Amino acid sequence: MEITQQTLAEAWQRTAAGHALLHGIELPPVALSEDELEALDEAAEQSEDGALCLLLDEDGTVRGHHGAYQEVFATRDLERVLYLIAEAAVRRRHGGSPEETAVTLDRIDPAWGRRFRSGGLDDTATVEVCGRDPLEGLAWIAKSWRDQAPYTVLEFYRAAPGRSVDAEALALLYGADLAQVAAGTRLKDLQAVDGGREYLDRQWESCCFGQAGGWTYLLHHDTPPGAYADKEAYAALGIKENVRLTATSAKAIYSLDYTKDDRRVDDDWGMLELIWYERGRAPYLRGGELDFLNQALRRAELDHPELTHTFELYFHALETSLGLRLPRADFEEGDVRVAYWAER
């Protein structure tokens, strides 16, 4: 059945009337055009509301928006629309933690509670408890990275199954010093020179590289002119996936770029900012290309309420969904491979 403004209003009225916890919750404002949506957004900004708005297309597609330009879902499934409206309403009305939101949705409809816990758009996913310490995985670096330490850019590269990206070749392609790469220089080696003073002065000119969790990582600040200019050498590495995390603390810009098979995975959103993530609310398009990350974040929230830093939750979700890792012990003990950029 095609969704119309009337069928949507009637369906929500029945849904809200059928559950005491939804009594009094109105259908979000519905726009029938982009101009109407912008007008709703302006009104929401003036009231500092930030609530969900709906854009109803002529073909019956319902598009959920937070603001005029951030589309958070698009579906022609009426039941799915009702769930997403209820999820947003419960978060706003009852507040609390993601677990409290899940419990409230459980009381309304157990299927809705399961759906919220899975982080997906249906309740069929199998949910398993994590059982790991996030700070022993990728999340250990999240807080310091926010202040661009130890590096501004965290890059991860993965080849096709059965292959790996050569970490030394990648570092050299970026411009690492050949002699230091060949010598197997480690962080503690550079820190031992001149009592570590030279490394403190030149750390901004260094890179760090290695392999963990099936990915090759390369961490750095600025890259030298001409880095990875050799396109043939880059292609020979066999890279199929690349994840790039960039921190600019002075401007509070923290971004994610994920490329797979030479195509940016972003649902056409452009730059993906980590600060969009708010605990309990999926940061990316529901059912979109990055929905796997929405689901991993929901699991991280529910499995690890002890993590109060949102970037730690985000990094743990990157680990559980994509397998990204950085060897904490190697960094802390100075065993991680490093090199300065070659002088040109």
Side-chain angles (χ1 to χ4, degrees):
M1 180 181 68
E2 183 176 303
I3 300 175
T4 65
Q5 193 169 13
Q6 181 178 348
T7 59
L8 181 58
E10 291 174 350
W12 178 251
Q13 185 177 29
R14 289 193 300 271
T15 300
H19 305 285
L21 291 170
L22 296 177
H23 285 178
I25 295 178
E26 301 291 336
L27 179 71
V30 179
L32 300 180
S33 68
E34 296 286 350
D35 289 341
E36 288 185 18
L37 182 64
E38 287 192 19
L40 290 174
D41 180 49
E42 290 176 4
E45 284 185 356
Q46 292 175 2
S47 64
E48 298 184 353
D49 188 12
L52 181 69
C53 295
L54 305 177
L55 175 62
L56 180 59
D57 290 347
E58 291 183 358
D59 66 356
T61 300
V62 179
R63 302 181 183 277
H65 279 256
H66 288 293
Y69 306 107
Q70 188 182 1
E71 183 175 290
V72 293
F73 69 81
T75 181
R76 299 176 68 180
D77 184 316
L78 180 59
E79 191 278 333
R80 186 171 287 178
V81 174
L82 297 175
Y83 164 75
L84 290 166
I85 293 172
E87 180 190 292
V90 166
R91 286 187 61 251
R92 288 177 58 78
R93 170 181 275 192
H94 300 282
S97 67
E99 179 60 34
E100 290 170 323
T101 299
V103 169
T104 301
L105 289 169
D106 266 333
R107 293 173 60 192
I108 297 171
D109 185 334
W112 284 7
R114 290 193 299 272
R115 187 178 301 185
F116 181 81
R117 285 187 169 87
S118 76
L121 287 177
D122 56 54
D123 63 341
T124 60
T126 301
V127 176
E128 297 180 0
V129 176
C130 174
R132 288 182 287 171
D133 181 355
L135 298 182
E136 292 301 319
L138 185 66
W140 72 267
I141 202 171
K143 282 186 179 180
S144 64
W145 173 76
R146 186 163 189 161
D147 294 320
Q148 297 180 235
Y151 289 96
T152 298
V153 180
L154 315 180
E155 294 208 65
F156 300 84
Y157 299 84
R158 184 159 63 181
R163 296 189 59 188
S164 62
V165 177
D166 188 308
E168 291 188 352
L170 181 66
L172 290 170
L173 189 60
Y174 264 71
D177 181 87
L178 175 59
Q180 290 181 332
V181 172
T185 302
R186 300 186 182 277
L187 176 60
K188 59 187 176 185
D189 299 325
L190 296 187
Q191 291 175 331
V193 177
D194 193 25
R197 286 186 291 274
E198 180 181 358
Y199 178 71
L200 287 175
D201 291 340
R202 298 188 61 191
Q203 197 262 349
W204 200 264
E205 305 169 18
S206 72
C207 67
C208 158
F209 56 93
Q211 293 180 326
W215 291 80
T216 295
Y217 60 86
L218 179 71
L219 282 52
H220 56 87
H221 292 293
D222 294 333
T223 52
Y228 53 88
D230 189 336
K231 303 301 182 184
E232 291 185 4
Y234 186 86
L237 293 174
I239 295 168
K240 294 295 184 182
E241 292 178 83
N242 169 227
V243 177
R244 179 184 175 97
L245 292 153
T246 306
T248 309
S249 57
K251 297 181 179 179
I253 297 175
Y254 305 92
S255 62
L256 164 73
D257 282 293
Y258 176 36
T259 303
K260 186 173 184 178
D261 296 324
D262 297 321
R263 191 182 68 83
R264 197 173 187 180
V265 181
D266 63 0
D267 289 307
D268 296 323
W269 278 24
M271 185 173 71
L272 302 169
E273 293 196 50
L274 274 64
I275 57 173
W276 288 346
Y277 167 51
E278 174 187 334
R279 191 184 300 255
R281 176 171 140 185
Y284 303 122
L285 183 68
R286 305 294 288 273
E289 294 179 311
L290 290 166
D291 202 41
F292 70 89
L293 191 49
N294 288 333
Q295 295 175 47
L297 279 164
R298 180 59 43 74
R299 293 310 317 152
E301 293 166 349
L302 294 171
D303 288 342
H304 301 288
E306 75 280 5
L307 294 182
T308 58
H309 196 289
T310 55
F311 279 21
E312 288 178 342
L313 285 169
Y314 195 101
F315 275 46
H316 183 56
L318 287 172
E319 178 185 352
T320 58
S321 60
L322 289 171
L324 303 184
R325 295 186 67 84
L326 287 172
R328 181 175 186 173
D330 287 355
F331 279 82
E332 292 179 342
E333 296 168 13
D335 287 327
V336 68
R337 295 283 301 278
V338 297
Y340 292 125
W341 298 131
E343 295 184 6
R344 295 177 182 270

